Amino acid sequence: MGASKKNSEKTEEGGLKRNIGLMAAVNVIISVMIGSGIFVSPTAALKYSGSIGLCLVVWTACGIISLMGALCFAELGTVIPRSGGEYAFLLESFSKLHRFWGPLPAFICSWVYVVVLRPAAVAVVILTFAEYSIQPFSTLIGLDQLSDGDQENVVKLIALLGLGLITYINMVSVKLYVQINNIFSFFKVFACLVVIGGGIYQLAIGKTENLRSGFEGTTTNPGYIALAFYSGLWAYDGWSSVTVITEEIKNPEVNIPRSISIAVPVVTALYVFMNLAYMTVLTPGEMISAPAVAVLFGDRILGPFSFIIPLGVALSTFGCAMSIQFATTRLCFVSGREGHFLEPMSYVHVRRSTPIPAVALSGIIVFLFIVVGNITALIEFASFLIWVTYGACMTGLLILRKTQPDTPRPYRVPTIIPIFILLVSIFLSLMPIISAPSMKYLAALGFIAIGMCLYTPFVYYKKRPRIMNTVTYIMQMLFNVASTVPTAQYAPVATEEK
């Protein structure tokens, strides 16, 4: 990996500059992991565990499990130093095993993530941003006088304005994204520390009555314990985000493992102590029934400064949405470069080195989700596929150790860890189907089937509709973008066998 000064600024593979250092990478992980969940509804783990003692154990254990999974991804990121995260790992691990079926998992990953799962997540998060950004001013601007339908329209309008802003930022400059994300991550952590500080104050003045029950009432139902872990691990999702942007990280073989080793324990500590802080003020029943736990917490102890909490939620969700979109567009960029998505998605701006077509596509899909609504159902029908993908990546890690034993591994996890995470992935993939069977899982399989119908002619047989020439030309003229990689260099892996 020739360490010339030029290559330290630009990867050899696609014209993306390495503008993200260690602390910026840490902030990317923190920004994606901490969204609105820990502020709004961190209660499912408490509900299913049955006691505050087991609840805190679950939050701690989920953080440790997430760290293990992230460290496995750190090894994969050093062995496969390309952007794309799960997509790149699946492509490298399986593509050479079979001409047709090998590249298919990677294609399905990009298909689900780019078209539905990540844009839907951005839509939900940016709607939460809109709701909480106006909450402190709702009385002042007369929002509470409007009908429910009008209030919903105002929230959607602000969400669309927020979407336009994050899309503009991600189009213009990676450095601008890094600077803004660093600022928002600081305020996000600050809001978490305000909650924790409030909890410490309550403990200092002897408010421990809500904690005295300890493990009293702990459930013995294995299904409920499983659901508690499922809810906790869902809240920690996002630990893989830094591997999606590998080609834009300075010295990735060092900074990817370091950023994960810093960010995930920090988020774990914040989550555990925030839950403990909530429990010093709110009873378990109040936490479970509260529509927004942190807001109720703030109203109880912050007095005139309670506006800090909804403001913190707004800042947290804005940064989270911006970072999810940033990572998603890199996955779209890489899959386009590999021939698994529209070719213009792999083009970058000739001066800004940003994948503007991919960012624009993401913005359009999120726009449609916000306007149409019912986004939660979209996330639910595909969310279990996230852990299917994680499990496939753990399998890929084990395959690469067999097929590429001599590949340099600057970082290596003990073999027991990917095996353990694989078992966790299997459990979390099957748990929602077993505990709550629903037609939405058939819908997810149907969406995958649509992807396979597209994969066969357009990826495997490389059919290219003539209209794509016109589409490519329009995008190049509209966005001032160009391909920076010779077509032959990044032909689909499925065609490499002789």
Side-chain angles (χ1 to χ4, degrees):
M1 296 183 184
S4 69
K5 184 175 181 179
K6 181 177 180 180
N7 286 338
S8 70
E9 292 294 321
K10 181 178 286 190
T11 70
E12 298 174 1
E13 298 185 342
L16 298 176
K17 293 184 178 180
R18 296 195 184 275
N19 289 313
I20 300 177
L22 175 60
M23 290 314 300
V26 169
N27 284 331
V28 168
I29 300 173
I30 290 176
S31 186
V32 175
M33 289 185 72
I34 304 179
S36 62
I38 192 62
F39 295 101
V40 178
S41 56
T43 55
L46 175 60
K47 175 182 176 182
Y48 290 115
S49 61
S51 70
I52 60 175
L54 182 59
C55 176
L56 293 175
V57 170
V58 167
W59 279 104
T60 304
C62 287
I64 294 171
I65 293 171
S66 298
L67 179 60
M68 290 181 180
L71 292 176
C72 292
F73 269 58
E75 177 179 334
L76 286 166
T78 58
V79 174
I80 307 168
R82 289 188 290 168
S83 292
E86 297 95 305
Y87 169 82
F89 304 153
L90 294 174
L91 189 66
E92 182 70 22
S93 302
F94 296 102
S95 61
K96 295 178 183 178
L97 300 181
H98 191 276
R99 183 177 176 84
F100 178 86
W101 297 104
L104 186 58
F107 172 80
I108 294 299
C109 172
S110 65
W111 169 247
V112 172
Y113 275 39
V114 172
V115 178
V116 174
L117 195 54
R118 295 312 187 195
V122 173
V124 169
V125 173
I126 204 71
L127 281 167
T128 306
F129 155 76
E131 182 178 350
Y132 282 88
S133 64
I134 61 175
Q135 183 172 316
F137 315 105
S138 59
T139 302
L140 182 64
I141 63 179
L143 186 63
D144 54 345
Q145 304 298 320
L146 299 177
S147 65
D148 291 344
D150 289 338
Q151 289 184 27
E152 182 180 347
N153 290 334
V154 171
V155 169
K156 281 190 175 183
L157 177 60
I158 294 175
L160 292 174
L161 292 174
L163 171 63
L165 182 57
I166 67 172
T167 302
Y168 172 78
I169 291 169
N170 284 328
M171 280 185 172
V172 168
S173 168
V174 174
K175 288 184 178 180
L176 178 62
Y177 158 78
V178 169
Q179 292 168 354
I180 293 175
N181 190 53
N182 288 345
I183 294 171
F184 276 79
S185 294
F186 170 80
F187 284 111
K188 176 183 301 193
V189 173
F190 177 76
C192 295
L193 293 177
V194 167
V195 173
I196 294 172
I200 292 173
Y201 173 77
Q202 293 296 305
L203 291 174
I205 62 175
K207 294 287 186 179
T208 60
E209 55 269 20
N210 291 340
L211 302 175
R212 290 172 185 167
S213 59
F215 287 87
E216 182 181 335
T218 296
T219 183
T220 56
N221 186 322
Y224 282 175
I225 295 175
L227 287 171
F229 273 91
Y230 183 82
S231 302
L233 288 169
W234 173 252
Y236 278 99
D237 189 49
W239 42 260
S240 65
S241 54
V242 73
T243 60
V244 182
I245 56 173
T246 298
E247 293 171 30
E248 294 170 270
I249 296 177
K250 300 174 183 177
N251 198 11
E253 60 275 3
V254 174
N255 284 335
I256 287 178
R258 284 182 180 175
S259 63
I260 287 171
S261 300
I262 294 171
V264 179
V266 166
V267 173
T268 301
L270 291 174
Y271 278 8
V272 172
F273 286 110
M274 285 181 74
N275 274 279
L276 181 61
Y278 293 146
M279 293 170 183
T280 63
V281 176
L282 307 174
T283 65
E286 287 175 327
M287 284 187 62
I288 292 172
S289 62
V293 175
V295 173
L296 180 59
F297 175 90
D299 290 341
R300 291 278 179 89
I301 71 166
L302 296 180
F305 297 101
S306 61
F307 70 90
I308 292 175
I309 300 300
L311 180 61
V313 175
L315 295 174
S316 176
T317 48
F318 183 88
C320 180
M322 183 174 63
S323 293
I324 295 174
Q325 187 192 62
F326 181 85
T328 304
T329 57
R330 271 50 185 181
L331 193 160
C332 183
F333 166 82
V334 174
S335 61
R337 189 176 64 189
E338 298 289 351
H340 284 186
F341 215 75
L342 300 175
E343 181 188 338
M345 295 301 109
S346 67
Y347 291 5
V348 298
H349 193 275
V350 294
R351 293 189 308 276
R352 296 170 180 164
S353 297
T354 55
I356 289 182
V359 178
L361 177 65
S362 173
I364 291 170
I365 297 175
V366 176
F367 173 87
L368 294 175
F369 284 165
I370 291 175
V371 172
V372 173
N374 198 23
I375 308 159
T376 304
L378 285 171
I379 292 182
E380 287 178 352
F381 99 84
S383 60
F384 79 102
L385 295 174
I386 291 178
W387 281 96
V388 174
T389 304
Y390 289 161
C393 289
M394 296 303 107
T395 305
L397 187 153
L398 298 174
I399 289 174
L400 287 174
R401 287 187 176 179
K402 292 293 184 181
T403 59
Q404 300 182 21
D406 298 326
T407 299
R409 286 171 168 78
Y411 179 82
R412 181 185 176 103
V413 293
T415 304
I416 188 63
I417 293 181
I419 293 175
F420 172 71
I421 298 300
L422 174 59
L423 296 176
V424 171
S425 301
I426 294 171
F427 165 74
L428 292 174
S429 301
L430 297 177
M431 187 65 218
I433 300 175
I434 295 172
S435 62
S438 171
M439 290 296 292
K440 64 189 176 187
Y441 301 117
L442 289 178
L445 295 177
F447 188 76
I448 291 174
I450 294 173
M452 292 183 66
C453 292
L454 296 173
Y455 170 81
T456 302
F458 299 118
V459 178
Y460 184 70
Y461 289 111
K462 298 188 293 183
K463 301 293 184 182
R464 191 174 189 271
R466 290 184 180 180
I467 194 175
M468 283 308 303
N469 294 328
T470 303
V471 172
T472 300
Y473 175 78
I474 292 173
M475 286 195 176
Q476 287 183 294
M477 295 298 102
L478 181 62
F479 296 123
N480 195 20
V481 294
S483 174
T484 57
V485 182
T487 303
Q489 184 179 352
Y490 284 99
V493 179
T495 65
E496 291 182 357
E497 290 186 7
K498 295 183 179 178

